[in-house]
């Protein structure tokens, strides 16, 4: 909670989004701790033990200790072995210890990972099979101006209830 108060929730959520991205690629959470201290150890084992030189404020965090084991970072192919190189580039920017050095939400959405499709085309080539949903669109396609008219076709539960009472 202290990080949210000091840096704002966006920089902390960038870290969380990185965790989710790894989980999507690996089909397994990268960190599955049973306590806060175990979570720190798992993170340090993956990304190396942070130092005051990396992030001065780390010494003020509740569980920080000068006597933490000094782990060296693992390679990204160990941390996210199924992630393409362009995704690893994004992840490296999301997992910086100092929240002020982390990629911003806006810059993350503009990252080249979201510019193109990645991986094999999973659509079935069999014309007798129903097609799979379209692949994820780039964030640039998601932000389309809306109008109130877009909501006219939505039936809200209170609208449906009131029409039944007439």
């Amino acid at each position: 909670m202290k990080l949210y108060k000091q840096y704002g929730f966006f920089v902390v959520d960038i870290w969380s989004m990185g965790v989710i991205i790894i989980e999507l690629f690996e089909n397994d959470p990268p960190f599955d701790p049973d306590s806060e201290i175990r979570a720190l150890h798992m993170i340090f084992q993956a990304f190396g033990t942070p130092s005051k030189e990396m992030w001065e404020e780390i010494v003020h965090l509740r569980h920080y200790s000068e006597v933490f084991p000094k782990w060296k970072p693992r390679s990204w192919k160990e941390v996210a072995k199924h992630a393409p190189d362009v995704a690893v580039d994004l992840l490296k920017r999301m997992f910086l210890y100092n929240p002020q050095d982390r990629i911003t939400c806006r810059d993350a959405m503009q990252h080249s990972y979201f510019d193109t499709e990645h991986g094999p085309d999973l659509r079935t080539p069999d014309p007798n099979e129903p097609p799979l949903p379209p692949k994820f669109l780039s964030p640039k396609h998601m932000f389309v101006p809306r109008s109130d008219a877009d909501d006219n076709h939505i039936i809200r539960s209170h609208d449906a209830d009131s029409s039944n009472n007439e």
Side-chain angles (χ1 to χ4, degrees), residues 36-120:
E36 286 184 27
I37 195 70
R38 180 70 184 124
L40 289 176
H41 283 194
M42 293 173 92
I43 291 167
F44 296 169
Q45 288 169 345
F47 304 123
T49 306
S51 65
K52 287 186 274 187
E53 292 75 34
M54 294 169 135
W55 181 21
E56 285 183 25
E57 294 87 10
I58 195 167
V59 297
H60 302 294
L61 298 180
R62 186 170 83 185
H63 290 299
Y64 178 77
S65 172
E66 295 271 343
V67 297
F68 275 144
K70 306 297 184 233
W71 285 290
K72 292 184 184 222
R74 295 186 350 221
S75 77
W76 276 97
K77 283 301 171 191
E78 290 178 80
V79 175
K81 57 183 157 259
H82 296 101
D85 291 342
V86 68
V88 169
D89 181 69
L90 175 60
L91 291 167
K92 285 179 183 178
R93 297 166 193 234
M94 296 174 110
F95 285 111
L96 294 173
Y97 281 120
N98 186 340
Q100 294 175 328
D101 293 339
R102 250 174 247 158
I103 193 169
T104 65
C105 291
R106 181 181 308 276
D107 289 344
M109 295 296 287
Q110 298 300 319
H111 190 273
S112 60
Y113 174 73
F114 295 109
D115 287 346
T116 59
E117 296 176 0
H118 304 283

Side-chain angles (χ1 to χ4, degrees), residues 9-21 31 43-44 47 91 94-99 102-103:
F9 65 92
F10 291 112
V11 294
V12 177
D13 283 347
I14 286 293
W15 183 283
S16 301
M17 289 304 302
V19 171
I20 292 168
I21 289 171
F31 315 110
I43 291 167
F44 296 169
F47 304 123
L91 291 167
M94 296 174 110
F95 285 111
L96 294 173
Y97 281 120
N98 186 340
R102 250 174 247 158
I103 193 169

Side-chain angles (χ1 to χ4, degrees), residues 114-154:
F114 295 109
D115 287 346
T116 59
E117 296 176 0
H118 304 283
D121 187 350
L122 299 177
R123 293 175 225 218
T124 178
D126 185 351
N128 297 322
E129 292 287 325
L132 293 173
K135 290 185 177 185
F136 176 76
L137 294 174
S138 163
K140 294 172 186 139
H141 298 99
M142 294 169 57
F143 299 109
V144 178
R146 292 192 45 189
S147 72
D148 291 338
D150 294 336
D151 291 333
N152 288 342
H153 68 281
I154 297 173

